[in-house]
Amino acid sequence: MIDLVYHASYSKLALPQQHGFPITKYQHLFEYLLGHKLAIESQFHQPQKAQPVELKQIHSPEYVTQFVNNKLSSKAIRRIGFPWSEHLKERTLYSVNGTYKTTELALQKGIAIHLSGGYHHAHYAYGSGYCIFNDLYFAAHQLLHNKQVHNILIFDCDVHQGDGTAALASHAPEIITASIHCDNNFPSRKQNSDYDFALPAHANDQHYLETVEQALTLLIRLHQPDIIIYDAGVDIHQDDRLGHLNITDQGLFKREQLVLSIAQNSGIPIAAVIGGGYDRNETSLSQRHSQLFKAANQLFA
């Protein structure tokens, strides 16, 4: 069975009624997977909380301390996009370490999936775009620090460029960053990943899938990573509120099949996070995120 990582704190955050972030999607996806027999309870692992001392190895110690103690400025909080609360702190610490746990499980079994993660807009000294600490870079750093691997590919297919990840990893040659994103989208000021594949607005399935296949195949050939950390954002979908691409349900499923099968055929463990996805209809959003789990079950179960 495929190892899955989830914690109940992920959706335990009270937000204003008209807030743009679908915070309940994590719990709804967890229930959707069980209800549609895409997973069973015994597959799930609970992470421990990331410790501030660990986060200070990749983020500004002052920023970490200010966030944990509710001392961030109102400007910094607005940039993050969430009002501060104890629940926000708890879910953040669990979720960040959840991605690291997912990578550890992937190294053991070949694949693991986190029902959260993809906080790629978090920079060294500030959070942005609903991202507080960068779980993708944190997981990669922990793997290297603990000498579990030698080099890592962060393959980011969220519709928004992974600017925080690119900036954090810019001086870490063992961490290869690649972002396939919509060019005319947030963030307005892009950073330089090791490899950026910027797509025009309204790119269709064929254009998108060709880019994903060629990019991942090239990156594996050039770098032979010990593990792939895959951000499987579904905000590429044509009906996503924040996406601007024209990817269909079928195209989304084919992307998951493509990425997972390339990793599998290359013998490289893959740790996936669900990344972004924005829809007020919880069932539609769960259906989109579930394509990753369907593809994984077909290939790895």
Side-chain angles (χ1 to χ4, degrees), residues 143-161:
L143 289 175
L144 292 168
H145 179 75
N146 295 326
K147 303 187 187 312
Q148 292 165 282
V149 298
H150 297 290
N151 67 330
I152 299 155
L153 170 61
I154 298 178
F155 191 64
D156 190 340
C157 289
D158 190 282
V159 80
H160 306 107
Q161 197 225 18

Side-chain angles (χ1 to χ4, degrees), residues 62-84 88 125-127:
E62 181 182 12
Y63 169 60
V64 174
T65 298
Q66 288 178 342
F67 172 76
V68 169
N69 294 310
N70 189 21
K71 298 297 184 180
L72 288 177
S73 68
S74 57
K75 181 180 178 181
I77 289 293
R78 285 196 302 273
R79 189 168 193 170
I80 288 170
F82 291 132
W84 194 93
L88 177 64
Y126 63 91

Side-chain angles (χ1 to χ4, degrees), residues 3 45 101-111 148 227 269:
D3 289 309
H45 301 257
K101 185 172 184 65
T102 305
T103 62
E104 290 193 300
L105 292 168
L107 287 173
Q108 297 171 20
K109 302 286 186 66
I111 185 173
Q148 292 165 282
I227 187 171

Side-chain angles (χ1 to χ4, degrees), residues 115-276:
L115 276 70
S116 183
Y119 300 117
H120 57 175
H121 300 310
H123 286 250
Y124 174 72
Y126 63 91
S128 176
Y130 306 135
C131 303
I132 298 163
F133 300 126
N134 196 304
D135 63 303
L136 304 173
Y137 185 74
F138 177 78
H141 176 272
Q142 290 294 92
L143 289 175
L144 292 168
H145 179 75
N146 295 326
K147 303 187 187 312
Q148 292 165 282
V149 298
H150 297 290
N151 67 330
I152 299 155
L153 170 61
I154 298 178
F155 191 64
D156 190 340
C157 289
D158 190 282
V159 80
H160 306 107
Q161 197 225 18
D163 58 324
T165 311
L168 283 166
S170 60
H171 301 295
E174 307 91 346
I175 302 173
I176 302 102
T177 57
S179 179
I180 300 178
H181 55 269
C182 179
D183 191 33
N184 185 25
N185 208 323
F186 182 87
S188 57
R189 183 179 178 182
K190 307 292 193 288
Q191 299 291 322
N192 292 322
S193 309
D194 292 313
Y195 300 88
D196 282 301
F197 304 88
L199 298 171
H202 312 300
N204 62 17
D205 287 359
Q206 181 179 356
H207 185 183
Y208 184 80
L209 293 170
E210 286 175 353
T211 302
V212 169
E213 181 174 22
Q214 292 170 11
L216 186 54
T217 302
L218 172 67
L219 293 167
I220 288 174
R221 186 170 72 247
L222 290 177
H223 298 284
Q224 290 296 305
D226 294 324
I227 187 171
I228 298 168
I229 302 176
Y230 170 42
D231 186 343
V234 300
D235 41 14
I236 62 166
H237 192 273
Q238 60 188 2
D239 294 329
D240 191 272
R241 291 191 298 110
L242 303 181
H244 309 326
L245 294 185
N246 194 29
I247 310 305
T248 65
D249 290 339
Q250 185 180 31
L252 179 59
F253 179 68
K254 285 185 176 179
R255 182 195 69 177
E256 313 304 30
Q257 282 186 314
L258 191 61
V259 172
L260 298 184
S261 64
I262 290 173
Q264 183 185 51
N265 292 336
S266 302
I268 301 172
I270 185 164
V273 303
I274 66 169

